[in-house]
Each structure stands twice: as structure tokens, then as C-alpha cells.
Amino acid sequence: MIVVTGATGQLGRLVISALLKKVAAADVVAAVRNVEKAKDIAALGVQVRASDYNKPESWDAALKGADRVLLISSNELGQRAKQHRVVVEAAKRSGVKLLAYTSVLRADASVLGLAAEHKATEEAIRASGIPYVLLRNGWYTENYDSVVKSAVNLGSVYGCASDGRISAAARVDYAEAAAVVLAADGHAGKTYELAGDTAFSLAELASEIGRQAGKSIGYVNLSEPEYKKVLLGVGLPEPYAALLADSDTGISKGALYDESRQLSRLIGRNTTPISVTVKSAL
């Protein structure tokens, strides 16, 4: 039995879809906070179980009989390490044989502010004694969907990443990698640094948007405080604006650049290039 947490999220749904190409639906469990939102998943023959990162008492039932678990990281900044430990502890009680976790690229050494909670979760997983596999995901190309749309309207891409390069891949690429690890043996104890095959800078992203949109679009490089101010000005909450600005600074230092091609080797095909995401967003 394979349990996928956060299964109604953007990544979770894609993981479920990828898993159903490899294993029987009866062997897959979707652990979700809102069962009503998972009716379409249940219709596929997948068992749906209620669970909540903020309700520790919900996890023993959610993981009952689980052999393998994919812990998809929470999106509640500042709460994730605590929430993840709840699942790790329940997985240990349940006798889970493999725990996979969606971390961030080079979590143990990353300068990204968001890496701290991932690093803490990885440490908790190792300390649990559960056989594990770490899926250290790089950036999603879909992170730039809103950037594509605003660039067409404003004529520029804004950021503070300087000429740093981003080895991004599409969510579906990372979802397929998770399904590969969950559906086959031989991955326990491994750490995968997962990133896109073709890196790009924000200036190159701006150029690609302009090419597809048929207009001139450039990149405006700001300081981190200036970029955060821009993000706050368009209505982003302070913690999220701070996270994005910090991440851009991390990009300028190489935090999201990777040439190992571990992701494409794991899924057996090239990763999805940023041009595909730009086209979709346009």
C-alpha cells in the first residue's frame, strides 16, 4: 500500500496520476485534509483517508497498513517542520517500510531561507530509523506562471536574481520521479538532487516571454529590499514576498542551479523546458 499525503494539492494530484500508471488503484491511498475535494480521486478507485498536518491524532488511521509513504511538504511557512514531524512519528508507529519526502535542492547546504524547515525534516526522518528516500526538488517552472502574465502587461520581468541560473522542471516531472521511487525497489537510503535539464536566467526568461508574446520584454534586476517592496505592492502577503525575494537572492548565488540530470535519468526522459510553461501561461 502506497500513501500519498497532500494528495489534493497540485503536486499530489500529479503523483496519484503517475502512480496509477504503475500500480493498481487499490494499492494507493490519498491522504487529504478535505475529503470532499478528493471525490474525483476516489472515483479512480483510490482509497481516500482524512488527515491533517495540524491534527496529529488523524495520522495513525491515515497510515494504517501503509508500506510506503510520500510525505509532500506542507505549504504553511514556519509550521512545516513541526507538521512533518507529526507524519514521521506516525509512520514510525505504523511500521512504514519506506518514507519518501519532497525536500528542496541541496537542503543540507542551501542558502535559501526556505531550506531550513526542509533540513529539519530530513534530520527528523533520519533520526526516526525509517528507511527513507529524499527527493530534493528544484524549482517548478510553473512558479513563473504569474511572472509570464505580468511581464506581458508591464513589459518587464522583475527580480533580484542577477544573472543566476535556474534549473527548473515542471511539476509533472517531479511527480513522475516520486512515482518511480514509490513503485519500485532499490531507492531506500538514496538522496536525489532533482532539477531541470536546461537552466535559464531571468533575463533569458524575459527574452523567451517576449519571443512568444511578440513584443520586447526585458529583465529589471533590483536589490532584495526593492524586489520585496514590488511584491508587497502587488498584494503578496509579507511572508511570501520575503520568501520570493530571498529565493531570488539565493538564485543569484547558485542555489537553484544543478547540472546532474538526476531527474531526467530517474524518469527516463528529458525534463519539461521553461518554453512549454511560458506557452501554457500565455
Side-chain angles (χ1 to χ4, degrees):
M1 181 185 292
I2 300 171
V3 177
V4 178
T5 76
T8 51
Q10 291 174 302
L11 180 63
R13 287 182 179 277
L14 291 171
V15 172
I16 294 288
S17 178
L19 271 175
L20 293 182
K21 296 175 183 177
K22 298 177 179 295
V23 301
D27 294 330
V28 180
V29 173
V32 302
R33 183 168 55 185
N34 188 333
V35 174
E36 287 298 308
K37 291 184 177 180
K39 287 182 176 179
D40 59 322
I41 295 176
L44 298 173
V46 172
Q47 184 180 164
V48 174
R49 294 179 180 175
S51 62
D52 190 322
Y53 290 130
N54 294 314
K55 295 180 179 179
E57 68 277 7
S58 69
W59 285 98
D60 284 344
L63 300 184
K64 184 178 180 180
D67 297 300
R68 300 178 181 185
V69 174
L70 174 65
L71 171 53
I72 293 180
S73 57
S74 162
N75 59 7
E76 294 184 50
L77 299 177
Q79 301 298 314
R80 295 191 290 184
K82 178 177 69 175
Q83 292 172 333
H84 298 161
R85 279 197 298 271
V86 166
V87 183
V88 173
E89 290 165 4
K92 185 174 182 178
R93 290 193 300 270
S94 299
V96 167
K97 297 179 180 65
L98 182 72
L99 178 60
Y101 172 62
T102 60
S103 188
V104 71
L105 197 65
R106 295 186 292 274
D108 54 343
S110 178
V111 298
L112 297 174
L114 63 81
E117 289 184 296
H118 289 297
K119 182 179 179 181
T121 300
E122 289 187 4
E123 291 171 351
I125 290 171
R126 290 191 188 94
S128 74
I130 302 170
Y132 66 86
V133 56
L134 301 178
L135 302 171
R136 289 177 169 172
N137 292 351
W139 238 218
Y140 301 143
T141 55
E142 291 90 346
N143 288 353
Y144 293 104
D145 280 350
S146 60
V147 173
V148 173
K149 296 167 185 175
S150 65
V152 173
N153 293 328
L154 301 175
S156 297
V157 169
Y158 293 86
C160 60
S162 188
D163 57 357
R165 303 189 68 73
I166 306 152
S167 303
R171 277 195 187 90
V172 67
D173 301 335
Y174 295 107
E176 286 183 22
V180 167
V181 164
L182 292 167
D185 296 327
H187 298 283
K190 293 186 177 181
T191 296
Y192 292 105
E193 304 290 354
L194 304 178
D197 294 338
T198 307
F200 58 90
S201 66
L202 290 187
E204 289 168 339
L205 172 61
S207 178
E208 178 62 23
I209 297 168
R211 185 186 69 79
Q212 292 197 35
K215 61 186 300 185
S216 178
I217 296 177
Y219 171 55
V220 179
N221 193 61
L222 306 170
S223 68
E224 184 175 328
E226 288 171 335
Y227 183 43
K228 180 181 175 182
K229 186 176 181 180
V230 168
L231 295 172
L232 291 171
V234 297
L236 290 185
E238 200 283 336
Y240 191 48
L243 170 72
L244 291 180
D246 173 82
S247 297
D248 256 28
T249 297
I251 288 169
S252 74
K253 299 175 181 178
L256 290 172
Y257 178 64
D258 183 88
E259 291 184 300
S260 67
R261 299 177 72 94
Q262 292 182 42
L263 177 53
S264 55
R265 286 201 298 273
L266 199 55
I267 63 179
R269 62 169 177 79
N270 293 335
T271 59
T272 308
I274 188 65
S275 58
V276 172
T277 296
V278 170
K279 181 177 180 179
S280 177
L282 288 175

